[in-house]
Amino acid sequence: MFFSGDSSRQKKVDLGGRSSRERDRQKYLDETRIAREQRQRFRHHTLTAIKIQKCFRGRRAVAVARSEIRQQFCTQFGENGERADRNAFKPSSKYLCQLLFFFRANDSEDIIRLVEACRLLCQSVQASGNILDILVDGNPSTDQHIVTYRVKRFVLCCLQALHQNREQFKFQLLSTSGSADLPALLLLEIVVILTDSSFPLAGNTLDYVLEKYTFGHFRELILTVSEQGGQTSVSGAGVSHLECVLTRLAFQSTKMHYTGHEFPLKLSFPAQIMSIPFLWKQFPNLKQVVVSQALWSCYIQQIASALPGHLNLLPPDISPTLPGPACLLGNILEVARFVLSQPNCTLKMQALEFATVLNFLMEELPHNFKSSTTEKSNNDEDSDMDENAGLITLSEDLEKQILNAVDTDFLKELVRILCIEVSPPGGTNSNEGPSDEEAAAVTAVCAFLHVTFMVLPLERFMTGLAYTTELVPMLWCYMKRCHLSHRWPSAEALTALCPGDAPGWMLPLSVFCPVYRHMLMIIDNEEFYEQQKPLSLRDIKDLVIILKEALWQLLWVIPSKATAVQKPIQSESSQKRFSLQSIQDKVSTVAAELLAQLQDWNSRRQFTSPYDFHAREAVDEIFFTQAASENTRAHELLKRAPFLVPFTNRVRIYTSQLAAARQQNSVHTPFARHRIRIRRDRAVEDAFNQLNGLTEVELRGMVRVTFVNEFGVEEPGVDGGGIFKDFMENITKTAFDIQYGLFKETSDHLLYPNPASGTIHAEHLQYFEFLGKILGKAMFEGILVDIPFATFFLSKLKEKHNYLHDLPSLDPELYRNLLSLKHYEGDVSQLGLYFVSEDNEFGEQKEEELLPGGKDIQVTNGNLIMFIHLVANHRLNNQIRNQSSSFLRGFKQLIQSDWISMFNEHELQLLISGSMDNMDVDDLHSNVHYAGGYSEDHPVIQLFWEVIKKFNLQQQKRFLKFVTGCSRGPLLGFKYLEPPFCIQRAAPEDAPDELLDRLPTSATCVNLLKLPPYKSKEVLENKLLYAISAEAGFDLS
């Protein structure tokens, strides 16, 4: 560095603002701290080394001492203690003292010495009869502590020997108590003797054992025995020593629980023992003791107090097919079923806790848990294989244990006990809200049943639950009181079962709806309308309001709170059966199904206004706009609860869907056009031969018809759509006529497939498929056809099953007879009925079995209800299954299922045929166009409307068919007629009389009426009547 001329040294400046003295101070403090920590670590390491050395030296000294004591023992008492006598167990003797000191459970020779000691003690007890005389010298009080300690250690050594050598002893543990020479039984025999309740030291000994030798060790011992597939208690041989010891330890642990001495739940009897698969099969006597001594209540309380973390405290699963929670659930349910079957049930105090425990354990069952007896088709099984890949599948035996425990009797008793606190229907003021105790009980019942419905197959218990319990009236009374008082208790505040933010009405509805819906499928019209069971029609009207409001909340209001950007994340908790999302999905489904069923009942015989099913908010244009697009709230609501939307709005959506499908089809096949020649006297056969072979796309395309009259001459006229409409009306009139043989009619002249159609037409199923296409084509093109179908057949178009209450639409007399049989008070077996159905076709009696071997199964009072429903099922479903399936197959080629899923059967009939009421002439008048010089004020037009209004209904239909090609108007009114109806003047005003003598003509392809300017009303009426009644085909077009 160059010399700058300044001899002074520049001072260094710390940019941190600290002086050099401060820096030195901080450095000194850091060095001091580091040195102190090093000294502390050195002292810790030194102390640790000293402890390790001390422990090692101590253990080595103990090992040396143990070896020396063992040598002294062998010298004094023999190699295995064979020179010892009964006095060897006295406090003054060194026999037991030395043995307990040097004993090692992993030393085979020590095991032999311990077994010899056990044999000697057993022989001494048998000889003396009093064990205290063997263990005590003279004064028991002076040697009490020594004796107590030796007894505890002796029992513990026996158990340790069994546990350490469980693989060697596993076959002996399965032997009966009569095999006295087996080492394992001798070890257990001593444990039994020293823990007997008559022995004064038994209580202290059991406490000591529970502290040192936990239930976890017993679990390992039991599982080793279980590997042999044996049963520890042999029938007729009494209770095994292993089961006896386990029973005493279980009882003692319960006493310690009630006296305030708690074990860690991870080491408790419920966690370690009750999670062993099929525990009660191995220890039936333990099962009896657990129930009779009220141990079970204690265990339920222990588990409930630790939920939900208890499931994490269970031991590791024995195998993937035997998960711990499922094994624990199976054992709890089996005992609970036994408890509930007792006359004096002790479950009342623990009912809520029990429901809580069951709920959480069922939640842990695999999501593919199904009954092995559930009937599934091969296609279902194949489709489930991919879905269940990688999922846990329970052992078949474990699955059966759970399913067999949860039967009708179990649920009946559990519901009865849980609902003791709930006021019975009519037992209190309905305007008063339920108490907290009632709300807690209802929440517990519904939480358990909700998960049960999600897990177990409903057919096993739903009928019994609906008819043998007061569940439906009780839940309705509860919901009605909450509804009228405008106070739904918060389920979250009542129990830890409910997820956060769950409305109080959600859980009751999740249980009430499926149970009541099941009842509605079974009860008959007399019970529903006349006897009003189980709910009155007034109550059902209130129920409709509750269901409607709940569905609107679930399908419209709640989804609106979640923005489109913030989509719900499929977390692990949302996948659970008892998550808020799963409950919402379940309630929205079952509530929609129940409300749809109530709407069907209301359609048969009205008990409330149809408008009560509609949500007022679902009628605006915003809703209609959203409904036309997928992945919207409105579209989802229409898919799951369409009846919330008024019928006219749904028809608008339906017509817009059809229009979009027609437009899409015309884009893909713009020039597709099929021309067919139809003989009017052979319309069905010609149409079948020419149209049945067309593909789905071709059927949706344009079809042009040329009619041929009876002389073989083509009728004049160009088909612009009108001739096709006439063709559709003619073919449906012929093919669906009962004289054609494919369809029959009910007493109300409603059509359904002829069960014996095969005897009339060899290709009857092909014809049914073709007629399905014809009906689908008519609906696809928006053509209304006059085909009055029976309601139960329309259900087949919606792919629904028919039940007993649908039978009146087919055979009212049979329905009345079945009801009389249902209420028959005598012995049904004396009527000589069997499970067969007698069908009379064309005068020939034919018998069909309702069940395999039904001709040999007599109808009794026990199976009467089954017989009635099988008869209804046979008539409504089985007899027309093939015909209906073929018809539906053709129908679905043109009409998608989701298009008509918005409508019930009665509304579907309106889509097919339109309204059966009078034609709305005023509506037609309001939506007419004029051409050729006509106007609204023209005298001829005024005369024309006077004549049309004077016509009767049949004449009005003929007129409508004359001008549009169809005798029925558009479903939503003539405003939607395409193109609009138009009246054109067919001649000038000053035309000669020859021209004015012409008949009116029409162009049905454009809905046009060509009307000459007649001079008088009488002439106009006569000419118009002649034209519409001539049935001259299209000669007048």
Side-chain angles (χ1 to χ4, degrees):
M1 187 174 184
F2 296 102
F3 178 66
S4 62
D6 186 2
S7 60
S8 62
R9 297 176 62 183
Q10 290 185 356
K11 187 177 181 179
K12 294 181 179 181
V13 179
D14 187 350
L15 297 180
R18 295 175 297 180
S19 65
S20 60
R21 183 175 298 175
E22 290 180 351
R23 289 198 307 273
D24 295 343
R25 180 176 178 273
Q26 183 61 43
K27 181 179 179 182
Y28 175 76
L29 291 175
D30 291 341
E31 291 174 351
T32 304
R33 177 178 54 79
I34 293 172
R36 183 172 60 252
E37 291 176 352
Q38 289 177 346
R39 290 193 300 272
Q40 288 178 350
R41 283 197 297 270
F42 179 75
R43 285 195 297 268
H44 177 70
H45 292 165
T46 302
L47 292 174
T48 302
I50 292 173
K51 289 182 180 179
I52 293 174
Q53 293 172 6
K54 181 180 179 180
C55 180
F56 175 75
R57 288 193 300 268
R59 288 184 177 272
R60 185 174 60 180
V62 169
V64 172
R66 182 178 290 115
S67 179
E68 293 175 354
I69 298 299
R70 183 182 288 112
Q71 186 62 37
Q72 296 175 13
F73 177 87
C74 293
T75 302
Q76 182 177 358
F77 300 104
E79 184 65 26
N80 297 324
E82 61 273 9
R83 292 199 294 267
D85 56 16
R86 58 172 296 178
N87 295 320
F89 298 99
K90 301 290 186 180
S92 57
S93 173
K94 294 183 179 181
Y95 174 80
L96 196 56
C97 175
Q98 292 178 345
L99 176 63
L100 297 179
F101 177 77
F102 68 73
F103 174 76
R104 303 294 289 173
N106 56 358
D107 190 322
S108 59
E109 294 182 354
D110 284 353
I111 296 295
I112 297 175
R113 297 182 181 102
L114 182 64
V115 170
E116 289 300 323
C118 292
R119 179 180 287 108
L120 177 60
L121 183 57
C122 288
Q123 294 172 355
S124 302
V125 172
Q126 292 175 3
S128 172
N130 188 350
I131 190 171
L132 277 179
D133 294 340
I134 302 170
L135 298 175
V136 180
D137 281 326
N139 187 1
S141 59
T142 57
D143 302 325
Q144 180 178 359
H145 297 294
I146 297 177
V147 174
T148 301
Y149 175 76
R150 289 184 178 180
V151 169
K152 292 178 181 179
R153 285 286 300 158
F154 197 9
V155 171
L156 183 61
C157 288
C158 292
L159 293 176
Q160 289 175 342
L162 289 168
H163 180 265
Q164 186 69 30
N165 301 273
R166 55 187 181 276
E167 289 293 336
Q168 177 184 348
F169 292 150
K170 58 185 178 183
F171 295 103
Q172 301 178 22
L173 290 171
L174 294 174
S175 303
T176 64
S177 58
S179 305
D181 292 335
L182 296 177
L185 291 184
L186 285 171
L187 294 171
L188 284 172
E189 178 75 16
I190 291 303
V191 178
V192 171
I193 291 174
L194 297 180
T195 56
D196 189 83
S197 57
S198 61
F199 183 49
L201 304 179
N204 293 334
T205 303
L206 288 171
D207 292 345
Y208 179 79
V209 168
L210 288 173
E211 292 177 3
K212 301 295 182 180
Y213 187 88
T214 63
F215 286 115
H217 296 89
F218 255 104
R219 174 185 176 85
E220 295 175 355
L221 191 62
I222 295 170
L223 291 178
T224 303
V225 175
S226 302
E227 293 176 359
Q228 305 306 311
Q231 185 171 323
T232 59
S233 292
V234 180
S235 178
V239 180
S240 69
H241 289 327
L242 180 60
E243 183 173 7
C244 181
V245 173
L246 183 60
T247 302
R248 291 178 183 177
L249 288 174
F251 185 72
Q252 187 67 19
S253 67
T254 306
K255 289 177 60 178
M256 296 173 68
H257 168 77
Y258 286 123
T259 56
H261 184 87
E262 289 287 354
F263 288 103
L265 192 61
K266 189 174 183 179
L267 305 176
S268 66
F269 184 89
Q272 294 290 338
I273 304 301
M274 292 185 68
S275 60
I276 296 176
F278 319 113
L279 178 68
W280 314 124
K281 181 180 179 181
Q282 301 178 67
F283 301 110
N285 182 70
L286 176 61
K287 176 182 177 181
Q288 300 285 343
V289 173
V290 165
V291 174
S292 60
Q293 299 293 336
L295 305 184
W296 185 73
S297 302
C298 171
Y299 299 148
I300 292 298
Q301 185 179 359
Q302 282 182 298
I303 299 174
S305 63
L307 287 175
H310 173 73
L311 301 180
N312 299 324
L313 301 177
L314 293 179
D317 296 342
I318 299 173
S319 70
T321 61
L322 295 171
C327 295
L328 178 59
L329 174 64
N331 290 327
I332 288 178
L333 285 174
E334 188 174 340
V335 175
R337 189 172 183 270
F338 188 81
V339 171
L340 292 174
S341 64
Q342 302 301 312
N344 300 321
C345 180
T346 60
L347 188 61
K348 296 180 181 179
M349 299 301 296
Q350 293 79 27
L352 298 181
E353 293 175 341
F354 176 62
T356 303
V357 170
L358 292 185
N359 183 74
F360 273 99
L361 292 178
M362 283 193 172
E363 183 70 70
E364 295 300 313
L365 289 176
H367 281 268
N368 61 338
F369 179 85
K370 291 182 177 70
S371 170
S372 58
T373 58
T374 300
E375 294 183 1
K376 296 166 58 180
S377 65
N378 294 332
N379 293 334
D380 292 339
E381 292 176 358
D382 294 339
S383 63
D384 287 344
M385 287 178 65
D386 294 335
E387 297 177 3
N388 295 334
L391 296 179
I392 297 175
T393 302
L394 292 187
S395 160
E396 183 177 348
D397 291 335
L398 179 57
E399 190 174 299
K400 288 181 179 179
Q401 183 189 28
I402 296 173
L403 292 171
N404 293 337
V406 185
D407 58 4
T408 300
D409 294 334
F410 172 81
L411 293 176
K412 175 182 176 181
E413 290 301 318
L414 183 59
V415 169
R416 178 187 63 81
I417 294 171
L418 284 170
C419 297
I420 288 177
E421 300 295 335
V422 182
S423 299
T428 184
N429 187 355
S430 60
N431 292 323
E432 296 180 359
S435 64
D436 292 342
E437 292 77 11
E438 291 178 282
V442 170
T443 302
V445 171
C446 295
F448 168 65
L449 291 179
H450 168 77
V451 179
T452 303
F453 293 169
M454 298 282 283
V455 173
L456 304 182
L458 300 182
E459 63 271 11
R460 293 180 62 89
F461 52 78
M462 186 60 80
T463 300
L465 191 63
Y467 280 94
T468 63
T469 70
E470 293 296 319
L471 186 63
V472 168
M474 183 272 294
L475 285 180
W476 167 243
C477 178
Y478 173 83
M479 293 190 299
K480 182 179 179 181
R481 291 164 60 194
C482 292
H483 177 69
L484 295 178
S485 64
H486 304 287
R487 186 175 70 87
W488 290 90
S490 172
E492 182 185 9
L494 294 172
T495 175
L497 285 170
C498 295
D501 302 327
W505 45 266
M506 198 173 289
L507 265 180
L509 281 179
S510 71
V511 174
F512 174 85
C513 291
V515 178
Y516 186 44
R517 177 176 176 271
H518 186 79
M519 297 185 73
L520 291 180
M521 291 190 298
I522 298 177
I523 64 175
D524 53 61
N525 293 338
E526 181 179 351
E527 290 173 316
F528 184 87
Y529 294 110
E530 308 300 335
Q531 300 177 10
Q532 300 188 18
K533 293 179 179 179
L535 302 181
S536 67
L537 295 180
R538 183 175 180 179
D539 283 340
I540 296 177
K541 184 175 181 179
D542 294 335
L543 174 61
V544 168
I545 303 300
I546 294 177
L547 293 175
K548 177 180 69 176
E549 293 177 354
L551 282 171
W552 186 255
Q553 288 288 324
L554 291 168
L555 300 178
W556 186 262
V557 177
I558 294 179
S560 68
K561 296 179 181 179
T563 61
V565 178
Q566 297 175 339
K567 293 184 179 180
I569 301 176
Q570 293 297 324
S571 62
E572 183 179 353
S573 61
S574 65
Q575 299 292 332
K576 289 186 174 292
R577 303 179 180 95
F578 206 65
S579 65
L580 178 60
Q581 185 62 44
S582 68
I583 298 177
Q584 289 179 357
D585 293 341
K586 182 65 175 179
V587 174
S588 60
T589 300
V590 296
E593 292 173 347
L594 176 58
L595 194 56
Q597 205 161 7
L598 291 176
Q599 188 188 38
D600 290 342
W601 284 93
N602 194 57
S603 300
R604 297 189 192 99
R605 188 190 302 179
Q606 193 172 112
F607 56 82
T608 187
S609 170
Y611 297 104
D612 288 341
F613 293 88
H614 300 158
R616 293 187 299 273
E617 300 88 342
V619 295
D620 55 12
E621 286 299 323
I622 297 177
F623 182 90
F624 179 77
T625 304
Q626 285 192 17
S629 304
E630 295 186 1
N631 301 322
T632 60
R633 288 182 296 152
H635 185 269
E636 185 66 18
L637 187 144
L638 276 173
K639 182 179 178 181
R640 305 183 70 170
F643 33 79
L644 296 180
V645 184
F647 175 67
T648 54
N649 285 41
R650 282 180 279 141
V651 173
R652 288 179 59 192
I653 297 169
Y654 164 75
T655 54
S656 67
Q657 291 173 331
L658 289 180
R662 289 194 295 266
Q663 178 66 25
Q664 183 180 12
N665 191 75
S666 64
V667 170
H668 291 302
T669 55
F671 303 107
R673 180 175 299 181
H674 300 277
R675 298 186 178 276
I676 58 176
R677 295 178 79 253
I678 301 297
R679 295 170 293 176
R680 286 191 177 271
D681 57 345
R682 302 285 295 177
V684 177
E685 290 77 8
D686 289 349
F688 176 79
N689 293 329
Q690 299 178 60
L691 292 178
N692 195 49
L694 299 182
T695 65
E696 177 181 332
V697 175
E698 292 172 335
L699 282 172
R700 292 190 174 191
M702 191 178 297
V703 177
R704 291 295 175 247
V705 179
T706 299
F707 275 118
V708 178
N709 61 22
E710 63 270 20
F711 304 107
V713 180
E714 293 187 358
E715 296 181 1
V718 178
D719 188 3
I723 298 180
F724 179 72
K725 292 180 184 177
D726 183 60
F727 159 73
M728 294 296 291
E729 189 155 338
N730 277 304
I731 192 175
T732 53
K733 181 178 181 180
T734 303
F736 289 94
D737 192 293
I738 60 174
Q739 299 300 324
Y740 197 75
L742 291 177
F743 281 81
K744 296 182 69 174
E745 65 178 8
T746 67
S747 57
D748 296 328
H749 306 290
L750 301 178
L751 298 176
Y752 68 96
N754 182 2
S757 58
T759 61
I760 301 175
H761 295 271
E763 299 179 324
H764 67 119
L765 295 182
Q766 291 85 341
Y767 269 89
F768 273 108
E769 183 175 351
F770 168 68
L771 293 181
K773 297 176 183 178
I774 291 296
L775 179 62
K777 180 64 174 177
M779 296 181 66
F780 186 80
E781 299 294 343
I783 301 174
L784 298 178
V785 289
D786 190 8
I787 311 176
F789 287 117
T791 305
F792 69 91
F793 176 63
L794 290 172
S795 297
K796 298 303 177 183
L797 297 185
K798 291 174 61 63
E799 302 180 60
K800 290 171 58 178
H801 193 82
N802 293 303
Y803 296 93
L804 176 62
H805 49 69
D806 297 303
L807 189 57
S809 64
L810 171 62
D811 193 336
E813 183 180 358
L814 175 62
Y815 179 74
R816 288 191 296 269
N817 292 337
L818 290 177
L819 287 190
S820 300
L821 183 62
K822 180 179 179 180
H823 301 291
Y824 183 70
E825 297 180 355
D827 186 0
V828 176
S829 61
Q830 296 181 353
L831 300 180
L833 298 175
Y834 292 85
F835 276 78
V836 293
S837 174
E838 294 185 358
D839 303 323
N840 188 352
E841 297 294 343
F842 305 108
E844 181 182 353
Q845 289 285 355
K846 182 180 179 181
E847 286 190 353
E848 290 193 32
E849 294 183 341
L850 302 178
L851 287 174
K855 61 182 180 181
D856 299 321
I857 303 176
Q858 191 173 17
V859 179
T860 64
N861 293 78
N863 58 21
L864 174 61
I865 299 299
M866 179 191 297
F867 171 76
I868 292 174
H869 285 277
L870 286 177
V871 170
N873 179 65
H874 174 72
R875 295 295 305 277
L876 294 170
N877 300 298
N878 291 347
Q879 276 193 328
I880 61 172
R881 175 176 285 112
N882 295 332
Q883 292 88 338
S884 299
S885 298
S886 299
F887 190 94
L888 179 62
R889 185 165 51 251
F891 180 76
K892 290 173 68 174
Q893 290 190 32
L894 290 107
I895 301 298
Q896 298 179 12
S897 299
D898 57 328
W899 292 349
I900 61 173
S901 62
M902 297 184 291
F903 308 97
N904 62 25
E905 288 77 3
H906 300 275
E907 295 169 340
L908 182 57
Q909 182 65 59
L910 292 178
L911 294 182
I912 296 172
S913 303
S915 176
M916 302 299 291
D917 300 333
N918 294 339
M919 189 182 81
D920 193 345
V921 177
D922 293 334
D923 182 37
L924 179 64
H925 190 179
S926 302
N927 294 281
V928 68
H929 292 185
Y930 302 100
Y934 279 152
S935 66
E936 182 66 34
D937 299 329
H938 196 283
V940 176
I941 295 301
Q942 292 178 352
L943 293 175
F944 169 78
W945 288 115
E946 290 178 6
V947 170
I948 293 299
K949 291 181 179 179
K950 182 181 177 183
F951 282 172
N952 58 36
L953 179 60
Q954 192 63 30
Q955 292 170 336
Q956 289 175 349
K957 285 186 175 183
R958 288 179 178 176
F959 166 75
L960 192 60
K961 180 179 180 181
F962 178 73
V963 296
T964 67
C966 182
S967 61
R968 294 175 183 270
L971 199 58
L972 295 177
F974 290 101
K975 178 182 178 181
Y976 295 90
L977 183 65
E978 289 290 340
F981 173 53
C982 181
I983 304 177
Q984 179 182 345
R985 191 172 63 183
E989 293 286 350
D990 55 352
D993 293 340
E994 292 81 3
L995 292 177
L996 296 181
D997 194 43
R998 294 178 55 188
L999 291 172
T1001 58
S1002 66
T1004 57
C1005 55
V1006 291
N1007 301 321
L1008 176 66
L1009 173 66
K1010 300 173 184 179
L1011 183 68
Y1014 298 113
K1015 300 298 183 181
S1016 66
K1017 179 179 179 181
E1018 290 76 12
V1019 174
L1020 190 152
E1021 181 177 358
N1022 292 333
K1023 294 289 186 182
L1024 190 59
L1025 279 175
Y1026 186 85
I1028 66 176
S1029 303
E1031 296 185 356
F1034 280 83
D1035 290 336
L1036 293 178
S1037 66

